[in-house]
Amino acid sequence: MKKGFHEPGDKPRRFYKDVSVVAEAGGFQVKLDGRNVRSPKGGVLVLPTRALADLAAAEWAGQVDVIELAGMNVTRLAFTALEAVPQARDGVAQQVADFAGSDLLCYYAEEPQALAARQTHHWSPLLDRAERELGLVFLRAAGIVHRAQPDETLARVKALVLELDDFALAGVAFGTSLFGSAVLALTLQRGWLTGEQAYELSRLDEAYQQEKWGIDEEAAERTARLFEESTMLDRWFRALG
Protein backbone atom coordinates (compact mmCIF):
# COMPACT_ATOMS: atom_id res chain seq x y z
CA MET A 1 0.00 0.00 0.00
CA LYS A 2 1.37 3.43 -0.95
CA LYS A 3 2.25 5.75 1.90
CA GLY A 4 -0.54 8.20 2.61
CA PHE A 5 -3.37 6.25 0.99
CA HIS A 6 -6.37 4.29 2.27
CA GLU A 7 -7.90 1.65 0.07
CA PRO A 8 -8.06 2.17 -3.72
CA GLY A 9 -10.48 4.94 -4.66
CA ASP A 10 -10.11 6.79 -1.35
CA LYS A 11 -8.58 10.24 -1.15
CA PRO A 12 -4.94 10.20 -0.03
CA ARG A 13 -4.26 11.07 3.58
CA ARG A 14 -2.03 13.98 4.42
CA PHE A 15 1.18 12.07 5.07
CA TYR A 16 3.60 14.98 5.57
CA LYS A 17 4.18 17.61 8.24
CA ASP A 18 6.39 20.24 6.63
CA VAL A 19 5.92 22.10 3.34
CA SER A 20 8.81 24.13 1.97
CA VAL A 21 10.02 25.82 -1.21
CA VAL A 22 13.58 25.27 -2.40
CA ALA A 23 15.46 26.94 -5.26
CA GLU A 24 16.49 23.94 -7.34
CA ALA A 25 16.59 22.53 -10.89
CA GLY A 26 16.49 25.96 -12.50
CA GLY A 27 13.33 26.98 -10.65
CA PHE A 28 11.57 26.59 -7.32
CA GLN A 29 10.45 23.20 -6.04
CA VAL A 30 7.74 22.48 -3.51
CA LYS A 31 8.93 19.92 -0.95
CA LEU A 32 6.93 17.78 1.46
CA ASP A 33 9.14 16.83 4.41
CA GLY A 34 12.08 17.53 2.11
CA ARG A 35 10.80 15.30 -0.70
CA ASN A 36 9.67 16.37 -4.15
CA VAL A 37 6.00 16.68 -5.05
CA ARG A 38 5.35 14.47 -8.05
CA SER A 39 2.49 14.23 -10.52
CA PRO A 40 0.71 10.93 -11.29
CA LYS A 41 3.07 10.73 -14.27
CA GLY A 42 6.10 11.11 -12.03
CA GLY A 43 6.96 14.70 -12.93
CA VAL A 44 8.49 16.98 -10.30
CA LEU A 45 6.67 20.16 -9.32
CA VAL A 46 9.11 22.88 -10.41
CA LEU A 47 7.78 26.43 -10.72
CA PRO A 48 9.46 29.29 -12.62
CA THR A 49 9.05 31.92 -9.87
CA ARG A 50 9.19 31.89 -6.09
CA ALA A 51 5.80 33.59 -5.92
CA LEU A 52 4.13 30.83 -7.94
CA ALA A 53 5.86 28.14 -5.90
CA ASP A 54 4.56 29.81 -2.74
CA LEU A 55 1.01 29.61 -4.12
CA ALA A 56 1.38 25.88 -4.78
CA ALA A 57 3.03 25.32 -1.40
CA ALA A 58 0.11 27.07 0.32
CA GLU A 59 -2.27 24.58 -1.27
CA TRP A 60 -0.29 21.66 0.13
CA ALA A 61 0.05 23.31 3.53
CA GLY A 62 -3.71 23.91 3.59
CA GLN A 63 -4.63 20.23 3.35
CA VAL A 64 -5.88 18.77 6.62
CA ASP A 65 -6.70 15.08 7.08
CA VAL A 66 -6.91 14.15 3.40
CA ILE A 67 -5.51 15.71 0.25
CA GLU A 68 -8.26 17.33 -1.82
CA LEU A 69 -6.53 17.23 -5.19
CA ALA A 70 -9.59 18.51 -7.07
CA GLY A 71 -9.38 21.83 -5.27
CA MET A 72 -5.64 22.32 -5.72
CA ASN A 73 -5.94 24.44 -8.84
CA VAL A 74 -2.44 25.91 -8.84
CA THR A 75 -0.79 22.51 -8.49
CA ARG A 76 -2.94 20.95 -11.18
CA LEU A 77 -2.42 23.83 -13.61
CA ALA A 78 1.32 23.76 -12.92
CA PHE A 79 1.55 20.10 -13.88
CA THR A 80 -0.42 20.90 -17.04
CA ALA A 81 2.15 23.60 -17.85
CA LEU A 82 5.01 21.22 -17.12
CA GLU A 83 3.79 18.02 -18.73
CA ALA A 84 1.09 18.76 -21.32
CA VAL A 85 1.72 22.19 -22.81
CA PRO A 86 5.37 21.85 -23.97
CA GLN A 87 4.53 19.03 -26.39
CA ALA A 88 1.31 20.63 -27.65
CA ARG A 89 1.89 24.39 -27.77
CA ASP A 90 0.51 24.84 -31.28
CA GLY A 91 -2.58 22.78 -30.50
CA VAL A 92 -3.24 24.65 -27.25
CA ALA A 93 -2.86 27.99 -29.01
CA GLN A 94 -5.23 26.82 -31.73
CA GLN A 95 -7.84 25.93 -29.11
CA VAL A 96 -7.63 29.48 -27.76
CA ALA A 97 -8.01 30.87 -31.28
CA ASP A 98 -11.00 28.59 -31.88
CA PHE A 99 -12.68 29.98 -28.75
CA ALA A 100 -11.98 33.48 -30.06
CA GLY A 101 -13.94 32.53 -33.17
CA SER A 102 -17.11 32.57 -31.06
CA ASP A 103 -15.93 34.75 -28.19
CA LEU A 104 -18.53 35.48 -25.52
CA LEU A 105 -17.83 39.21 -25.64
CA CYS A 106 -18.95 39.43 -29.28
CA TYR A 107 -22.55 38.28 -28.69
CA TYR A 108 -24.94 40.88 -27.33
CA ALA A 109 -28.48 40.19 -26.21
CA GLU A 110 -31.28 41.33 -28.53
CA GLU A 111 -33.52 41.67 -25.48
CA PRO A 112 -34.10 42.69 -22.78
CA GLN A 113 -32.65 46.08 -23.52
CA ALA A 114 -31.36 46.46 -19.96
CA LEU A 115 -29.11 43.43 -20.42
CA ALA A 116 -27.95 44.55 -23.87
CA ALA A 117 -27.09 47.97 -22.46
CA ARG A 118 -25.14 46.37 -19.61
CA GLN A 119 -23.16 44.22 -22.04
CA THR A 120 -22.40 47.18 -24.27
CA HIS A 121 -21.28 49.27 -21.31
CA HIS A 122 -18.89 46.64 -19.97
CA TRP A 123 -17.77 44.64 -23.02
CA SER A 124 -17.36 47.23 -25.76
CA PRO A 125 -14.58 49.23 -24.06
CA LEU A 126 -12.57 46.03 -23.58
CA LEU A 127 -13.00 45.02 -27.24
CA ASP A 128 -12.05 48.53 -28.29
CA ARG A 129 -8.87 48.37 -26.21
CA ALA A 130 -8.01 44.92 -27.57
CA GLU A 131 -8.27 46.38 -31.06
CA ARG A 132 -6.11 49.42 -30.24
CA GLU A 133 -3.40 47.68 -28.24
CA LEU A 134 -3.39 44.09 -29.47
CA GLY A 135 -4.58 44.48 -33.06
CA LEU A 136 -7.59 42.24 -32.48
CA VAL A 137 -10.55 43.33 -34.60
CA PHE A 138 -13.68 41.46 -33.49
CA LEU A 139 -17.04 41.65 -35.23
CA ARG A 140 -20.01 41.98 -32.88
CA ALA A 141 -23.39 40.31 -33.23
CA ALA A 142 -26.87 40.65 -31.76
CA GLY A 143 -28.37 37.36 -30.65
CA ILE A 144 -26.86 33.90 -30.60
CA VAL A 145 -26.47 33.18 -34.32
CA HIS A 146 -22.81 32.55 -35.06
CA ARG A 147 -20.91 35.29 -36.81
CA ALA A 148 -17.52 34.32 -38.20
CA GLN A 149 -14.55 36.41 -37.10
CA PRO A 150 -11.88 37.62 -39.54
CA ASP A 151 -9.17 35.07 -40.25
CA GLU A 152 -6.61 37.76 -39.48
CA THR A 153 -8.03 38.20 -35.99
CA LEU A 154 -7.89 34.51 -35.19
CA ALA A 155 -4.36 34.24 -36.56
CA ARG A 156 -3.37 37.21 -34.41
CA VAL A 157 -4.87 35.58 -31.31
CA LYS A 158 -2.88 32.43 -31.95
CA ALA A 159 0.32 34.38 -32.54
CA LEU A 160 -0.13 36.35 -29.31
CA VAL A 161 -0.67 33.18 -27.34
CA LEU A 162 2.35 31.45 -28.86
CA GLU A 163 4.53 34.33 -27.66
CA LEU A 164 3.81 33.26 -24.06
CA ASP A 165 5.87 30.80 -22.04
CA ASP A 166 4.36 27.45 -21.11
CA PHE A 167 3.00 28.63 -17.76
CA ALA A 168 1.35 31.75 -19.14
CA LEU A 169 0.01 29.76 -22.10
CA ALA A 170 -1.49 27.18 -19.73
CA GLY A 171 -3.12 30.00 -17.79
CA VAL A 172 -4.60 31.65 -20.86
CA ALA A 173 -5.96 28.33 -22.13
CA PHE A 174 -7.50 27.64 -18.72
CA GLY A 175 -9.00 31.13 -18.57
CA THR A 176 -10.38 30.96 -22.10
CA SER A 177 -12.35 27.85 -21.24
CA LEU A 178 -13.34 29.21 -17.82
CA PHE A 179 -14.71 32.49 -19.18
CA GLY A 180 -15.80 31.35 -22.63
CA SER A 181 -13.66 34.20 -23.90
CA ALA A 182 -10.13 34.43 -25.24
CA VAL A 183 -10.38 38.21 -24.88
CA LEU A 184 -11.02 37.99 -21.15
CA ALA A 185 -8.23 35.46 -20.67
CA LEU A 186 -5.69 37.51 -22.64
CA THR A 187 -6.60 40.78 -20.93
CA LEU A 188 -6.44 39.16 -17.50
CA GLN A 189 -3.01 37.80 -18.35
CA ARG A 190 -1.92 41.32 -19.28
CA GLY A 191 -3.24 42.82 -16.06
CA TRP A 192 -6.01 44.90 -17.63
CA LEU A 193 -8.52 43.20 -15.34
CA THR A 194 -8.54 41.42 -12.02
CA GLY A 195 -9.76 37.84 -11.82
CA GLU A 196 -12.92 39.04 -10.11
CA GLN A 197 -13.60 41.57 -12.86
CA ALA A 198 -13.02 39.01 -15.61
CA TYR A 199 -15.37 36.60 -13.88
CA GLU A 200 -18.10 39.21 -13.50
CA LEU A 201 -17.79 40.21 -17.16
CA SER A 202 -18.13 36.56 -18.19
CA ARG A 203 -21.47 36.16 -16.41
CA LEU A 204 -23.41 39.33 -17.11
CA ASP A 205 -26.30 37.34 -18.56
CA GLU A 206 -26.36 34.89 -15.65
CA ALA A 207 -26.13 37.70 -13.09
CA TYR A 208 -28.99 39.55 -14.78
CA GLN A 209 -31.19 36.45 -14.64
CA GLN A 210 -30.34 35.85 -10.99
CA GLU A 211 -31.27 39.43 -10.13
CA LYS A 212 -34.71 38.79 -11.59
CA TRP A 213 -35.37 35.22 -10.48
CA GLY A 214 -32.98 34.52 -7.63
CA ILE A 215 -30.30 31.85 -7.30
CA ASP A 216 -30.66 28.24 -6.19
CA GLU A 217 -28.20 26.25 -4.09
CA GLU A 218 -26.66 24.38 -7.02
CA ALA A 219 -26.10 27.59 -8.97
CA ALA A 220 -24.59 29.23 -5.89
CA GLU A 221 -22.10 26.39 -5.50
CA ARG A 222 -21.13 26.65 -9.16
CA THR A 223 -20.76 30.41 -8.87
CA ALA A 224 -18.49 30.04 -5.86
CA ARG A 225 -16.32 27.46 -7.61
CA LEU A 226 -15.91 29.52 -10.77
CA PHE A 227 -15.17 32.64 -8.76
CA GLU A 228 -12.47 30.78 -6.84
CA GLU A 229 -10.90 29.56 -10.10
CA SER A 230 -10.99 33.09 -11.52
CA THR A 231 -9.24 34.63 -8.54
CA MET A 232 -6.72 31.79 -8.55
CA LEU A 233 -5.92 32.54 -12.19
CA ASP A 234 -5.38 36.20 -11.31
CA ARG A 235 -2.86 35.18 -8.63
CA TRP A 236 -1.27 32.76 -11.13
CA PHE A 237 -0.55 35.50 -13.68
CA ARG A 238 0.60 38.00 -11.03
CA ALA A 239 2.94 35.39 -9.56
CA LEU A 240 4.44 34.75 -12.98
CA GLY A 241 5.25 38.45 -13.18
Side-chain angles (χ1 to χ4, degrees), residues 190-209:
R190 281 162 170 73
W192 298 5
L193 301 169
T194 65
E196 180 176 359
Q197 289 170 331
Y199 170 68
E200 294 298 339
L201 290 178
S202 75
R203 62 183 300 274
L204 291 182
D205 189 352
E206 181 180 354
Y208 181 85
Q209 298 301 327

Side-chain angles (χ1 to χ4, degrees), residues 148-224:
Q149 297 296 336
D151 291 341
E152 296 81 4
T153 297
L154 304 186
R156 176 64 177 155
V157 169
K158 184 174 181 179
L160 286 170
V161 172
L162 284 174
E163 291 175 359
L164 303 175
D165 64 32
D166 292 339
F167 280 80
L169 174 53
V172 168
F174 180 87
T176 298
S177 177
L178 176 64
F179 303 130
S181 170
V183 174
L184 286 177
L186 282 167
T187 54
L188 175 59
Q189 184 266 326
R190 281 162 170 73
W192 298 5
L193 301 169
T194 65
E196 180 176 359
Q197 289 170 331
Y199 170 68
E200 294 298 339
L201 290 178
S202 75
R203 62 183 300 274
L204 291 182
D205 189 352
E206 181 180 354
Y208 181 85
Q209 298 301 327
Q210 290 175 353
E211 289 169 10
K212 289 182 66 68
W213 309 110
I215 182 171
D216 60 30
E217 183 177 347
E218 183 177 346
E221 291 177 356
R222 177 179 178 275
T223 295

